[in-house]
Amino acid sequence: MREVLFAGFGGQGVLTAGLILSQIALYSGKNATWMPSYGAAMRGGTANCTVHYGDGPVYNPGQQKPDLLLAMNTPSFKKFSGIVRTGGIVLYNADMMTEDAAVREGVRLVPVNCNQIADKLNNPRGANIVMMGAIVKLLGDFEYETGLAGMNDMFRKKGKEKFEAKNTEAFQAGYAAV
């Protein structure tokens, strides 16, 4: 069973990123849960979610010892990097880090300038999608094509297929960034 924790400020798309990963897992025939948590403010407040997925039943959808943490800002990095399991990964938004990133031995740090990448793609709201491409590659649980198809399937179900080309481009860029 995999556990992935997504954390950032409201408006950074961390809850959407978690939904995307859970959809990719379901699209791949796995079981998945998505558990959100957010502060009172819609934009600028805290937001995080935990996704569990695997072949068997998900017995506890709550936060435990993530295999991967996506930290979209410094406060999220500081709050959650210490709970990542040994052998896990901390993927962080290097554009939003105001301090040096450091974790204990046995945890891999992966910086990605996802805001810069999204801006270069003329898709400033696509930083979370850039990180989804990176997550799919780093975890290695899903083929690139499956990850992309699962993500696009989720947006189609939500009636947002008009963003498919931009999302595909952002996903590809994130996949290539790690």
Side-chain angles (χ1 to χ4, degrees):
M1 188 65 50
R2 281 277 197 199
E3 178 180 342
V4 180
L5 174 59
F6 298 80
F9 294 133
Q12 288 186 298
V14 294
L15 299 181
T16 299
L19 280 173
I20 292 168
L21 183 60
S22 62
Q23 178 60 32
I24 291 169
L26 293 171
Y27 190 83
S28 301
K30 298 188 180 302
N31 294 316
T33 61
W34 172 78
M35 181 179 250
S37 174
Y38 42 90
M42 297 240 344
R43 291 199 178 267
T46 60
N48 68 78
C49 66
T50 303
V51 173
H52 286 95
Y53 65 88
D55 294 324
V58 178
Y59 292 108
N60 182 358
Q63 203 174 85
Q64 297 170 43
K65 289 285 231 185
D67 296 286
L68 185 141
L69 164 66
L70 169 60
M72 290 295 281
N73 55 41
T74 302
S76 297
F77 181 92
K78 290 171 75 173
K79 182 175 182 178
F80 295 112
S81 61
I83 66 169
V84 174
R85 72 167 180 78
T86 300
I89 301 166
V90 175
L91 171 65
Y92 68 93
N93 179 354
D95 294 320
M96 296 290 289
M97 286 297 284
T98 57
E99 301 175 15
D100 289 337
V103 292
R104 73 182 183 286
E105 190 173 323
V107 175
R108 180 178 170 197
L109 270 177
V110 180
V112 172
N113 295 91
C114 61
N115 290 28
Q116 287 180 36
I117 292 169
D119 286 344
K120 285 180 186 174
L121 297 172
N122 198 26
N123 185 5
R125 294 192 61 195
N128 62 331
I129 306 299
V130 170
M131 291 306 226
M132 283 310 309
I135 288 169
V136 167
K137 187 171 185 182
L138 287 169
L139 290 176
D141 294 334
F142 310 105
E143 297 293 325
Y144 168 82
E145 295 81 12
T146 303
L148 185 59
M151 176 189 73
N152 286 330
D153 182 60
M154 184 195 91
F155 283 110
R156 275 188 224 112
K157 287 178 180 175
K158 292 180 169 273
K160 297 183 178 184
E161 55 277 340
K162 65 183 178 182
F163 301 114
E164 189 167 320
K166 285 211 172 274
N167 286 340
T168 296
E169 190 177 39
F171 187 94
Q172 289 170 338
Y175 195 89
V178 293

